[in-house]
Amino acid sequence: MAHGPLIEIEKANKFFGDHQVLRDVNLTVARGEVLVVIGPSGSGKSTLCRAINRLEPIQSGEIRIDGEALPVEGRALTRLRAQVGMVFQSFNLFSHKTAIENIMLAPVKVLGVSRHEALAHAQELLERVGLAAHADKHPAQLSGGQQQRIAIARALAMRPKVLLFDEPTSALDPEMVQEVLDVMTGLAADGMTMIVVTHEMGFARRAADRILFMDQGSILETSTPDDFFENPQTDRARDFLSKILTH
């Protein structure tokens, strides 16, 4: 299926116990779109991101990727997760494997790609994230920013249809943030479909096609970066921006 939106979410609701973290969320994401999700802590941003590849199952509603409803479990879910790459706050690299082995592992194990092909693609991806010289280093020998760039390369190795980023720079020292954002900006420019949960407003303004503002589990606003930052429509968004844009 090549037409229509890549991701469709209809009336998604999610509870943790009695606490509702997603409230009737409706969202479509087009192919090649970069959607940046912002909002205060606890607004449901990360849960929304994790629901899209079923790391967090929703209680009601529907999520479709490329026209297909999210599988509940089993091989179909594994196949879906191969198409939906995810980059977390913590890099989640295998500490006993080198950078290039981390990138090669899933294509070989999950997709059945030959080691030769996986190696060639991993070398291309290391080049793309600026770490070709570090292929044989273990994660402990790399900085946080380098580890996160390896994690991005690892997600790209599966040739996903969409990449989800859950606050990918929040665990990094400030001087390492930009090197990761630069890689993400490059992916956006190349037409990768991306959903990015972040507090990096400069990146949101520069790389997003659309900003989604969430609070208390609901989408309160969705607009272009210029419209959102210059002319927020809700008191909640104005209040949020006044707090974060003043320092």
Side-chain angles (χ1 to χ4, degrees):
M1 179 171 172
H3 305 295
L6 185 58
I7 295 172
E8 300 164 275
I9 301 176
E10 285 180 13
K11 294 198 168 172
N13 288 284
K14 169 74 182 172
F15 293 82
F16 290 124
D18 293 336
H19 178 54
Q20 189 166 5
V21 284
L22 294 178
R23 298 171 187 273
D24 275 338
V25 170
N26 293 298
L27 176 66
T28 59
V29 181
R31 289 159 209 283
E33 183 174 19
V34 178
L35 180 75
V36 171
V37 184
I38 63 176
S41 294
S43 57
K45 309 181 299 291
S46 291
T47 303
L48 176 65
C49 199
R50 293 166 68 87
I52 292 170
N53 71 350
R54 219 181 142 74
L55 281 175
E56 290 290 357
I58 55 174
Q59 267 91 10
S60 65
E62 186 169 46
I63 299 175
R64 290 186 295 278
I65 307 231
D66 216 359
E68 292 187 24
L70 277 197
V72 175
E73 58 191 13
R75 285 190 179 163
L77 183 58
T78 303
R79 274 198 303 276
L80 171 104
R81 287 203 178 127
Q83 298 172 14
V84 182
M86 183 126 193
V87 179
F88 300 89
Q89 286 179 32
S90 51
F91 325 119
N92 293 353
L93 298 174
F94 291 108
S95 60
H96 62 291
K97 292 189 177 293
T98 63
I100 201 160
E101 287 169 345
N102 266 282
I103 297 168
M104 291 171 61
L105 184 66
V108 171
K109 294 272 192 211
V110 179
L111 300 182
V113 171
S114 73
R115 283 192 66 78
H116 176 74
E117 189 185 330
L119 177 64
H121 190 210
Q123 286 167 330
E124 280 171 32
L125 291 170
L126 281 168
E127 196 81 46
R128 186 173 189 178
V129 299
L131 291 171
H134 299 278
D136 296 324
K137 289 187 177 170
H138 285 79
Q141 298 170 283
L142 300 168
S143 71
Q146 289 170 331
Q147 289 186 61
Q148 191 59 296
R149 284 186 281 156
I150 296 294
I152 293 171
R154 179 182 58 180
L156 289 169
M158 298 294 281
R159 303 184 192 274
K161 292 177 178 176
V162 57
L163 269 185
L164 310 175
F165 292 86
D166 186 8
E167 300 198 16
T169 57
S170 63
L172 299 177
D173 292 334
E175 69 270 21
M176 294 173 191
V177 168
Q178 197 55 50
E179 65 194 52
V180 173
L181 294 179
D182 285 346
V183 169
M184 293 167 62
T185 303
L187 291 174
D190 290 345
M192 185 79 203
T193 309
M194 294 162 58
I195 298 176
V196 184
V197 175
T198 187
H199 294 290
E200 297 294 334
M201 295 302 136
F203 171 82
R205 195 166 251 200
R206 191 171 63 248
D209 295 305
R210 191 159 50 117
I211 302 279
L212 197 76
F213 178 72
M214 291 186 72
D215 188 35
Q216 296 185 339
S218 298
I219 297 171
L220 295 194
E221 294 193 35
T222 173
S223 60
T224 65
D226 284 351
D227 281 350
F228 180 74
F229 286 107
E230 303 303 330
N231 187 25
Q233 297 299 299
T234 60
D235 289 343
R236 191 69 191 90
R238 279 191 286 274
D239 181 53
F240 176 78
L241 286 172
S242 73
K243 290 192 174 114
I244 58 159
L245 296 178
T246 45
H247 21 266

